[in-house]
Amino acid sequence: MNALDEHPHRSVEQEPLCGEEEFASVLRELVTRDAPRVFAIVEEYRVREDAWVAAWGIDLGDRAEVLCVEGGFRLSTESPDTALRLFSLTEDVTAHLVWVPEVTADGGTSGSR
């Protein structure tokens, strides 16, 4: 017995819902619809004197996970905006939340969902 045998939605008698290609398409649509959004927290030094990516994060809808670029610091917050506030506590540094553009089906990018 393995984990699939114990899955609550698995039925031994159940036939496949559709063919392989159609099912692959359904999976791609599911992943595209539910994909988390990626963002960066960029720190601006003084007024446009310099900037660097301080952290990368993903917005999972009910929370955001953030990893510092320099390592050693990871956090879970209720939202990307909450994480941004934590990076806005240093004098002479302004933190910005920058969303990574999403790749569209034709290979282009989109700034929002």
Side-chain angles (χ1 to χ4, degrees):
M1 185 175 263
N2 62 41
L4 287 177
D5 294 330
E6 298 172 8
H7 192 279
H9 299 292
R10 184 168 172 84
S11 170
V12 177
E13 300 88 34
Q14 202 167 6
E15 291 293 318
L17 297 173
C18 54
E20 283 185 47
E21 285 185 32
E22 185 179 352
F23 193 68
S25 176
V26 168
L27 294 179
R28 282 191 301 276
E29 289 175 25
L30 173 69
V31 169
T32 300
R33 184 193 72 215
D34 292 347
R37 292 185 64 200
V38 177
F39 62 90
I41 295 179
V42 178
E43 292 182 335
E44 171 190 355
Y45 181 68
R46 299 194 192 222
V47 179
R48 296 182 302 279
E49 286 185 21
D50 197 4
W52 58 89
V53 175
W56 289 101
I58 57 172
D59 180 2
L60 297 167
D62 63 340
R63 71 185 189 286
E65 298 291 328
V66 182
L67 301 169
C68 278
V69 169
E70 293 181 354
F73 184 65
R74 179 188 164 279
L75 67 126
S76 292
T77 65
E78 61 187 30
S79 71
D81 290 324
T82 302
L84 179 65
R85 285 194 293 275
L86 295 172
F87 284 84
S88 299
L89 302 175
T90 306
E91 191 175 328
D92 289 335
V93 174
T94 303
H96 301 272
L97 181 65
V98 180
W99 293 100
V100 174
E102 297 174 31
V103 177
T104 60
D106 64 359
T109 59
S110 168
S112 63
R113 231 179 231 201

